[in-house]
Amino acid sequence: TSSFRRNGHYIKICRTFLYSHNMVDDEKVQLVKETASELNIGGFIKGGRPGLIVVEGLEEDCDAFLNALAKQAQHRKQRESPSSRNGKVDSATFAAAGKVISQADTLDEGRAFPKELTQLDNEGGLDELKALCASTGLLDLIDEVCNKR
């Protein structure tokens, strides 16, 4: 996908907030970061309970990222047996809590977040994430999801 203005029109930059009831497996966090990198997705990831991800990129790349995470979760469920994790099946899935679209001439000009998915500390990461999202239109979504939990 092109990260420059198309036919005189601005490109659509997407910021999506995702959450999971937990994201405590370092291998899973690394897989999410690798998937984001392959799709030119940046943003932030906070492991722990709850697991939170804020991604930013071209709208079609954000959608592809969500689809890739869903496929990865399905694949993990199919290959893990109940005995593979001390009787617990990995049930971590991600849900999109919302999406905000903005326009810019180029992806780099429109970015509010780092180009790579940056990991935040599990402790204190939520407050840091809220501060980073205050100017992007995602803060209300984060508050809504976290207050439900």
Side-chain angles (χ1 to χ4, degrees), residues 45-60:
I45 183 170
K46 185 200 89 57
R49 292 183 174 91
L52 305 172
I53 305 172
V54 176
V55 295
E56 174 182 69
L58 296 177
E59 185 174 21
E60 56 267 26

Side-chain angles (χ1 to χ4, degrees), residues 13-17 41-44 53-57 107-108 110-118 129-138 142:
I13 297 176
C14 172
R15 292 179 190 95
T16 302
F17 172 59
I41 297 289
F44 298 98
I53 305 172
V54 176
V55 295
E56 174 182 69
L107 180 56
D108 286 342
R111 281 196 189 274
F113 299 143
K115 287 183 178 183
E116 295 183 6
L117 204 56
T118 302
L129 186 62
K130 286 180 177 183
L132 293 164
C133 291
S135 66
T136 63
L138 292 171
I142 292 171

Side-chain angles (χ1 to χ4, degrees), residues 42-83:
F44 298 98
I45 183 170
K46 185 200 89 57
R49 292 183 174 91
L52 305 172
I53 305 172
V54 176
V55 295
E56 174 182 69
L58 296 177
E59 185 174 21
E60 56 267 26
D61 294 339
C62 286
D63 292 342
F65 178 74
L66 294 173
N67 290 335
L69 290 183
K71 286 180 184 176
Q72 290 169 4
Q74 185 63 31
H75 178 72
R76 280 193 312 270
K77 285 180 183 179
Q78 289 174 350
R79 75 167 199 237
E80 288 188 358
S81 68
S83 62

Side-chain angles (χ1 to χ4, degrees), residues 97-127:
K99 181 192 295 194
V100 174
I101 303 294
S102 63
Q103 295 181 343
D105 283 330
T106 70
L107 180 56
D108 286 342
E109 282 181 15
R111 281 196 189 274
F113 299 143
K115 287 183 178 183
E116 295 183 6
L117 204 56
T118 302
Q119 189 162 353
L120 300 174
D121 187 39
N122 290 1
E123 299 299 321
L126 179 57
D127 291 335

